[in-house]
Amino acid sequence: MGEMEQLRKEAESLKDQITAARKAVQDSTLQEAAAGITVVGRIQMKTRKTLRGHLAKIYAMHWSTDSKLCVSASQDGKLIVWDSVTTNKVNAIPLKSSWVMTCAYAPSGNLVACGGLDNMCSIYNLKGKDGNVKVMRELAAHTGYLSCCRFISDTEIITSSGDCTCILWDIETGTQKTVFAGHQGDCMSLAVAPDFKFFISGACDFTAKLWDIREGTCRQTFGGHESDVNAIGFFPNGNAVITGSDDATCKLFDLRADQELITYQDSSIMCGVTSLAPSMSGRLLLAGYDDFNVNIWDMLKAERVGKYMWKLYIPLENGRKVDPAEDSEGSSRVAVGTEH
Amino acid sequence: MPVINVDDLTDKDKAVMEVNQLKIEIKLERWLTSKCCEEIKEYIQAGVEEDTLVKGISEEKNPFKEKGGCVIC
């Protein structure tokens, strides 16, 4: 038997053992635990604000920790920082590369970052002395597109890439601290744990991985999806992971049981999930889909309790992707970006 | 932490990495799903009353409420 064949067989055997170990602790389901609970009433959401200004597809947005400001990135080559209450543009930052796919707001509110087909993560200082927003660092090392980035602090940021890796960067020196390798497909998104000790990544190898930021190791791998995992987020208490996939489902994985607890799916939903966010208590899951809808799920009962359809305003560009719906930590604002 | 250059890894390197990773994951101590489900349910129920997306919010408290009145330009 060749070496590769031997290694492949060993991997298969280990995977079977992990499956058995997971089954051994599977003494109950979330449906059973929630059997006595009534489904939440129908959720009606009302558009309160529309942030207008981008001239092309909006690919990403991220809330600031103050839940008022947010940053959005568009392929019109701009990063815009919005005051969501007044709808004013606080900053409009022109980008070197307009092929942007992701953006992030630092927890401090001092920095924003973005990146995309330029394979780089560019960091901008919003609080520069002369009031101008300038590029502070360009983090270059990925050999594939930048799919997502999230700040740990003003000095560290984690990026995920189409080169199948995630990287922890030292922003001051612009160098890589740790490369997180292991995914066998493009990394599509990442989320940092509420305690900042771990992060999770979703990839085109149909899995989600939990990484220890300081150790630089992968602790757990969650399979089950039948296609690319495009969106990922932590359940609010940090003990579970929510994924959204091109297989049209979302799944809830518990970190301590090391397995899936429930799948959010409906036979009428046949298009991929592009983004997701849980509500503050974790009772609701908002998920954005490729058909322009945001579906709202009761996370305990796995029933759809609302649907938010994005109405076409003035179409400026043909396109089909609905972009990230994101719910701010500790708040109840949902922002949906589209291509208008 | 050493920085790996992923492009330098051969197929065999990647296969060895995968096997080593699985050997780590096998050792995980796993909780009973009944305990995990209970915890999730309790966490949600403890917070759901304050969850604005579930319960709604009064117009006065809503920072996004429509502001009435005149605007002098």
Side-chain angles (χ1 to χ4, degrees), chain A residues 274-327:
Chain A
T274 55
S275 61
L276 60 85
S279 71
M280 206 164 63
S281 68
R283 185 63 196 264
L284 300 177
L285 171 65
L286 287 91
Y289 292 72
D290 267 329
D291 63 356
F292 301 102
N293 290 323
V294 174
N295 286 314
I296 306 169
W297 297 88
D298 178 327
M299 287 198 76
L300 284 177
K301 307 296 286 182
E303 283 185 39
R304 192 159 42 151
V305 294
K307 189 162 155 171
Y308 186 65
M309 288 175 62
W310 186 255
K311 290 184 294 199
L312 293 174
Y313 278 62
I314 306 157
L316 290 174
E317 191 185 331
N318 279 333
R320 276 142 356 113
K321 249 184 136 185
V322 165
D323 292 305
E326 191 165 313
D327 192 358

Side-chain angles (χ1 to χ4, degrees), chain A residues 43-62:
Chain A
I43 305 285
Q44 302 270 38
M45 286 204 299
K46 184 177 171 180
T47 306
R48 289 287 180 177
K49 302 285 175 185
T50 302
L51 307 175
R52 291 177 213 274
H54 277 305
L55 304 171
K57 264 192 211 186
I58 298 171
Y59 264 76
M61 61 84 54
H62 193 214

